[in-house]
Each structure stands twice: as C-alpha cells, then as structure tokens.
Amino acid sequence: SVFGKHRIVYQMARAKNEKAPQAYVILILASGLYILNVKNQSGRVLAKRKGDFKQYFKDRGKEEKLFLFRNPLDEVRFFEKRLKEKLPSAECPVTNMVVFPQRCQLSWDGQEDGEIQVLRRKQLFGVIKEHFEKNPAVLTEGQIDDIFHALADEAIKLEKANQ
C-alpha cells in the first residue's frame, strides 16, 4: 500500500436533535488520523463557513428546489471532539475532510474554510496521498493498532451482542 500500515474504521454518528446519522470514515495512517464526513447530496451545493449549506436540485425534472442542511464543517468538528475522548492518550494530528459525491456541483458562498477541506470523491485519494507524503510519520504500527482498537472494539462488541 502507498500508505504503509494503516487501518480504516467506519462509524455512524448522530448529533443531538438530528434524525439521520452521518457516515464517517476514519483512516488511521502513520501521518495521523483522517476523519471523512461522507455526504450524499446531488445537484448544486453551496458551502458556507458558518450557517447551513444549501442544496439546489431538480425534483423529477421539474423546477429547481432549495434544501438547507446542517453545516458539515460543524458536524465533523463535533465528531472529532467526541472521537478524541475515545483515543488513547498519545497525541496525533487529525485532518478533517467533508466528501461529496462526484455528481455534486460544489461551490463556496464566501471564503473556503482554512482548516477543513471540502471536496468531491475523485479528489480524495490524491489529497490524502499528498498530505501523507508531506507530513512525517508520527504514529508507530503499534499506535495505529491501539487507536484502531480504541475506536473499533466498542462497535464490534455491540455488533456481536445484536446477532
């Protein structure tokens, strides 16, 4: 693998007062953790640093409709905070990304967020590879496994209990 030793964790998380859970993919690489907030919006999406994102889509080929959805930048920040509570004490860099489908037309209302990248799926591998190559290895293979088990073991136990 291009990334050497790595682990991948999938998690669903729901914020307070939210009906639907959000899908997250967590990549654990030697260069740190990558939290991907995976979205499924299509049509045109207008991203904002603060406030709701806007989605414009055509309802069965008719007129264009507007749908507001919670800012995924806020969602991923909240998820990161909760995730760090589960991690072993070792400090490691965390990179947050919001990932939209390729079919989504993505644009910004104002300036892009400087901390969290918002991108489409086809950009994802290249962006992570570039970040991985530019940043030094901060996690050992043992730390990668420790973080994986801190995040995944709870979900595995829940899954076994429900079988």
Side-chain angles (χ1 to χ4, degrees), residues 79-90:
F79 183 79
E80 176 189 358
K81 182 180 171 189
R82 300 288 302 273
L83 187 76
K84 283 185 172 180
E85 294 169 3
K86 296 179 179 182
L87 294 178
S89 60

Side-chain angles (χ1 to χ4, degrees), residues 70-121:
R70 187 168 180 211
N71 189 319
L73 304 172
D74 294 337
E75 290 175 347
V76 77
R77 282 186 185 103
F78 178 75
F79 183 79
E80 176 189 358
K81 182 180 171 189
R82 300 288 302 273
L83 187 76
K84 283 185 172 180
E85 294 169 3
K86 296 179 179 182
L87 294 178
S89 60
E91 279 292 314
C92 75
V94 176
T95 303
N96 294 314
M97 298 179 188
V98 179
V99 184
F100 283 90
Q102 199 59 31
R103 67 182 182 273
C104 171
Q105 297 172 11
L106 194 56
S107 60
W108 282 89
D109 180 3
Q111 189 176 3
E112 291 185 30
D113 188 274
E115 297 174 22
I116 301 172
Q117 283 192 282
V118 178
L119 45 102
R120 295 189 349 222
R121 288 189 186 136

Side-chain angles (χ1 to χ4, degrees), residues 60-72:
R60 295 189 184 112
K62 297 179 184 174
E63 63 189 58
E64 190 171 66
K65 299 207 176 199
L66 168 66
F67 174 72
L68 299 176
F69 62 100
R70 187 168 180 211
N71 189 319

